[in-house]
Amino acid sequence: MASTDSDTITFPAASPKQTYVKISALDAGHLTLPESLFVTDAEPGKRSTVPSLSFLIQHPSSSSTKGTTNLVFDLGLKRDISGYRTAQQHHISQRQPTTLSPDVAESLQAGGFQPSDIDVVILSHVHWDHVGTPSDFVNAEFVVGSGTLDLLSNGGGKLYPVELFNADELPRARTKELPPVRDGDIAKAFERQTAHVWAPLGAFPATVDFFGDGSVYVVDAPGHLTGHVNLLARVAPGRWVYLGGDCCHDPRILTREKGIALYDDGCGGKRSVHADTEVAAATVKRIGEVVGVEVVVAHDKSWREANRGRFWPGSL
């Protein structure tokens, strides 16, 4: 649903010389999900092959020799499955069938771009189906949410052991981690290093104005995994797009037709696909209540099927 800046009190009005960005969806592989692990009241035994969407965001930039800063949000699946670790391979075996081509690099090339043309890669989080092949992006700065680098190196407890992540996958010299989303000396020190400062924006308690011109905001979207972030972008006067990553895995959760499924955690308790189900549910509720914004989550099969003309070189 589109809106005008004047009837949306959630977000700030456009400035007189407002910058807008062009967003294009990118195919980045498919995986197959059992519905019972993701939504309540699932049809018994139903499995759906869904995309892991990525997005190209082009920002007009006088500081770039190209006149545009090219940003990619999420990298989907690796085109070479041998690049996954043993524990990841076991997980992937439960998500078959998968489609590995086209991946992000191939999708960019089909529209006339090369991976080397990309200036920035922002990862919503570092699960296997979103990290893709970082080595393709030789000129890009990588940006990840707070705590991500520690998660890659040390894991996140018994449900998220280090074996599920590739610690050496991101180019550390070109990777910046956003500051912690809290007050205090640690957060301020991070902010001084990155020049990124968290601030509330409408319904969202913590956002970063990424380009400093109100065109693209990184949104803290906690609950799914340490460092999980989303993007909110202005694409035209009165038009906003929200890229939700894995805030939820089925758009029916956003519309409250379904809830977040719980299942046996193997340790005598219940869990969901989120690290913190309660926090994830609060994040989804916040996103679902935002007015006048097109929300696209990474694994929305129906959105992909209905919007093929909006894939690169088309646009949202």
Side-chain angles (χ1 to χ4, degrees):
M1 181 190 305
S3 72
T4 64
D5 287 315
S6 61
D7 68 19
T8 301
I9 61 173
T10 305
F11 302 127
S15 67
K17 296 183 179 180
Q18 182 64 56
T19 298
Y20 299 95
V21 296
K22 176 182 177 181
I23 302 180
S24 302
L26 298 168
D27 275 319
H30 289 72
L31 66 161
T32 301
L33 304 179
E35 235 184 49
S36 60
L37 296 186
F38 295 91
V39 299
T40 54
D41 303 318
E43 183 180 328
K46 183 175 180 180
R47 295 168 60 85
S48 297
T49 298
V50 300
S52 188
L53 295 171
S54 297
F55 298 88
L56 170 65
I57 300 173
Q58 297 177 78
H59 176 272
S61 176
S62 58
S63 62
S64 170
T65 57
K66 303 187 296 288
T68 302
T69 296
N70 298 317
L71 184 158
V72 168
F73 181 64
D74 271 345
L75 296 180
L77 281 69
K78 298 182 188 302
R79 63 179 173 275
D80 180 3
I81 202 168
S82 67
Y84 291 110
R85 301 180 70 179
T86 301
Q88 293 171 319
Q89 296 275 7
H90 174 71
H91 186 79
I92 294 167
S93 70
Q94 303 170 56
R95 298 290 182 262
Q96 297 297 329
T98 58
T99 302
L100 307 177
S101 180
D103 70 345
V104 171
E106 293 166 333
S107 293
L108 288 169
Q109 290 163 343
F113 264 22
Q114 297 298 323
S116 58
D117 295 323
I118 302 305
D119 303 294
V120 181
V121 173
I122 298 179
L123 298 179
S124 66
H125 64 298
V126 290
H127 274 149
W128 67 275
D129 56 325
H130 293 261
V131 174
T133 309
S135 60
D136 287 339
F137 299 87
V138 295
N139 295 321
E141 173 184 275
F142 284 73
V143 178
V144 295
S146 179
T148 296
L149 297 181
D150 181 71
L151 178 69
L152 288 172
S153 297
N154 301 302
K158 60 185 178 182
L159 294 179
Y160 298 93
V162 69
E163 291 80 12
L164 288 178
F165 306 98
N166 290 353
D168 60 351
E169 193 155 51
L170 299 183
R172 290 304 173 94
R174 290 186 282 120
T175 298
K176 292 186 178 181
E177 184 176 273
L178 294 170
V181 184
R182 62 174 184 268
D183 293 329
D185 293 339
I186 295 177
K188 290 175 182 176
F190 269 88
E191 289 167 356
R192 285 195 296 270
Q193 294 170 18
T194 64
H196 290 137
V197 179
W198 293 105
L201 181 73
F204 301 114
T207 68
V208 167
D209 185 350
F210 192 75
F211 292 106
D213 58 10
S215 63
V216 175
Y217 294 88
V218 180
V219 181
D220 180 49
H224 179 60
L225 187 71
T226 297
H228 187 251
V229 295
N230 294 165
L231 287 192
L232 173 70
R234 296 182 196 258
V235 295
R239 288 193 57 229
W240 296 82
V241 171
Y242 188 95
L243 305 179
D246 275 3
C247 68
C248 64
H249 293 70
D250 189 305
R252 293 174 295 177
I253 296 175
L254 279 171
T255 58
R256 302 186 185 180
E257 298 170 69
K258 298 285 186 179
I260 298 170
L262 297 176
Y263 56 92
D264 186 352
D265 67 1
C267 302
K270 292 288 187 180
R271 64 162 298 182
S272 74
V273 294
H274 303 291
D276 189 319
T277 305
E278 184 175 340
V279 172
T283 293
V284 169
K285 182 174 184 293
R286 189 177 298 118
I287 297 167
E289 291 176 347
V290 171
V291 176
V293 178
E294 180 176 11
V295 179
V296 188
V297 295
H299 301 301
D300 190 342
K301 177 181 180 179
S302 58
W303 187 92
R304 178 185 180 275
E305 292 174 346
N307 289 278
R308 295 304 297 161
R310 303 170 86 187
F311 280 66
W312 173 248
S315 62
L316 276 67

